[in-house]
Amino acid sequence: FRILAAKNATDARILFRQHIPDLVLMDMHLPGRDGLSIVHEFRLDPVGGKTPIVALTAYAMRGDKERFLAGGCTGYIPKPIDPKTFVSEVRQYLPEK
């Protein structure tokens, strides 16, 4: 995989628009911004709006997964991640090429 990392919401928006990635792993707790508000913004993008977005989050209480999926996320991976299964979990959300 080629990975681009954003330190905050502003960087995430810039990288998203510059590169239109194949997949976004979105932390739901970002400095200064709620992750779902960025997901909503990405969904409105005319070019990248269909990009799969996976919530990668420590929010793992009952109902959190459903809330993120209803908010526009394609998938959900709770933290802490399992290094043995993480790549296969991510791969399932990548579009076929």
Side-chain angles (χ1 to χ4, degrees):
F1 302 118
R2 189 180 110 196
I3 299 169
L4 303 171
K7 295 179 182 178
N8 55 47
T10 301
D11 289 350
R13 287 194 330 263
I14 291 168
L15 286 173
F16 184 80
R17 289 196 177 99
Q18 286 178 344
H19 299 279
I20 306 297
D22 293 327
L23 174 74
V24 173
L25 295 175
M26 178 67 70
D27 192 332
M28 291 293 119
H29 187 77
L30 296 170
R33 195 97 186 259
D34 173 74
L36 275 180
S37 68
I38 299 169
V39 169
H40 179 72
E41 186 177 324
F42 286 1
R43 289 290 175 234
L44 295 175
D45 187 277
V47 177
K50 301 233 186 268
T51 299
I53 301 172
V54 178
L56 183 62
T57 181
Y59 291 111
M61 300 299 287
R62 179 179 289 174
D64 284 334
K65 177 180 180 178
E66 293 76 16
R67 180 169 57 100
F68 297 130
L69 295 176
C73 291
T74 309
Y76 168 87
I77 300 174
K79 292 180 186 176
I81 62 168
D82 181 347
K84 291 180 252 168
T85 61
F86 183 67
V87 172
S88 63
E89 288 179 273
V90 169
R91 196 177 299 274
Q92 73 178 329
Y93 297 108
L94 283 168
E96 296 291 324
K97 291 226 173 186

